[in-house]
Amino acid sequence: MIATLLYAFSLAIDVIMAEQRERTFIMVKPDGVQRGLVGTIINRFEQKGFKLVALKFTWPSEELLQKHYSDLSSRPFFPGLVKYMSSGPVVPMVWEGLNAVKTGRQMLGATNPADSLPGTIRGDLCIEVGRNIVHGSDSVESANKEIALWFTEKEVIGWTPANEKWVYE
Ligand code: IDP
Ligand code: MG
């Protein structure tokens, strides 16, 4: 009886831990880098309580960006989007935590900064949809695709922050 209860309890803990390990792909776009907003954007995610598990500074090729934005390839703004995104260095990152994908999107604000609420990153820091400073995955499936596209398995680091027990109950 006690063994069964302990087993059920450990399964419940596993589910909670798995939820806390949701990962999202966030990237400071070239305009965010040029405008000196890398630290500010990292700070938002750090202060929220999400865990940084991967980060790099890189100048991406058009080929990589065509893959990254393959869902949008038929859109009229696609060539301009790839040109903008490959116009300078970017800072791709992976952040981990409970509901990281959905909460990450909420923290970014709407795609068009004109519709992003004050308090969101885009709402506070940019003006036009074609210069919206930061990318965030729109689903767990896209996050997994994007993480695999920008990082090798070894570049994503599992670790336990000292404050974890003060972020999750
Ligand atoms: P998201 O970045 O909020 O997920 P998506 O619809 O996936 O938005 O579009 C990807 C990116 O393409 C946007 O962040 C923005 O930089 C750019 N984009 C989207 N719509 C337009 C547009 O109408 N004109 C110019 N650029 C656009
Ligand atoms: Mg998108």
Side-chain angles (χ1 to χ4, degrees), residues 62-123:
E62 289 194 12
E63 192 192 357
L64 178 62
L65 291 160
Q66 279 158 1
K67 282 187 196 153
H68 176 79
Y69 282 127
S70 57
D71 293 356
L72 301 171
S73 60
S74 62
R75 304 296 288 272
F77 58 83
F78 184 74
L81 174 62
V82 170
K83 201 168 169 220
Y84 150 56
M85 288 296 300
S86 60
S87 66
V90 296
V91 179
M93 302 174 263
V94 181
W95 289 90
E96 186 179 290
L98 184 64
N99 293 323
V101 170
K102 186 176 173 217
T103 304
R105 291 284 289 192
Q106 287 172 337
M107 289 167 65
L108 260 52
T111 302
N112 189 336
D115 302 323
S116 310
L117 293 176
T120 64
I121 297 170
R122 287 166 172 166

Side-chain angles (χ1 to χ4, degrees), residues 4-158:
T4 312
L5 274 176
L6 281 176
Y7 180 64
F9 185 66
S10 77
L11 281 184
I13 296 278
D14 281 353
V15 169
I16 291 165
M17 295 297 282
E19 282 172 352
Q20 288 175 6
R21 280 198 297 266
E22 185 171 296
R23 288 173 173 173
T24 190
F25 177 79
I26 301 292
M27 176 162 56
V28 184
K29 296 181 175 186
D31 46 339
V33 174
Q34 297 287 351
R35 293 180 53 203
L37 295 172
V38 174
T40 300
I41 292 168
I42 289 176
N43 205 25
R44 297 274 187 136
F45 284 84
E46 238 178 4
Q47 288 189 321
K48 175 71 177 168
F50 286 134
K51 170 164 68 170
L52 181 64
V53 294
L55 173 146
K56 66 174 89 168
F57 182 70
T58 179
W59 193 321
S61 66
E62 289 194 12
E63 192 192 357
L64 178 62
L65 291 160
Q66 279 158 1
K67 282 187 196 153
H68 176 79
Y69 282 127
S70 57
D71 293 356
L72 301 171
S73 60
S74 62
R75 304 296 288 272
F77 58 83
F78 184 74
L81 174 62
V82 170
K83 201 168 169 220
Y84 150 56
M85 288 296 300
S86 60
S87 66
V90 296
V91 179
M93 302 174 263
V94 181
W95 289 90
E96 186 179 290
L98 184 64
N99 293 323
V101 170
K102 186 176 173 217
T103 304
R105 291 284 289 192
Q106 287 172 337
M107 289 167 65
L108 260 52
T111 302
N112 189 336
D115 302 323
S116 310
L117 293 176
T120 64
I121 297 170
R122 287 166 172 166
D124 288 347
L125 302 171
C126 57
I127 293 173
E128 276 203 317
V129 67
R131 295 290 182 271
N132 62 358
I133 70 169
V134 62
H135 167 84
S137 308
D138 62 8
S139 66
V140 172
E141 194 191 1
S142 320
N144 291 338
K145 179 201 132 179
E146 291 165 2
I147 292 165
L149 188 62
W150 289 85
F151 291 99
T152 63
E153 253 176 61
K154 274 190 170 178
E155 287 173 326
V156 183
I157 312 290

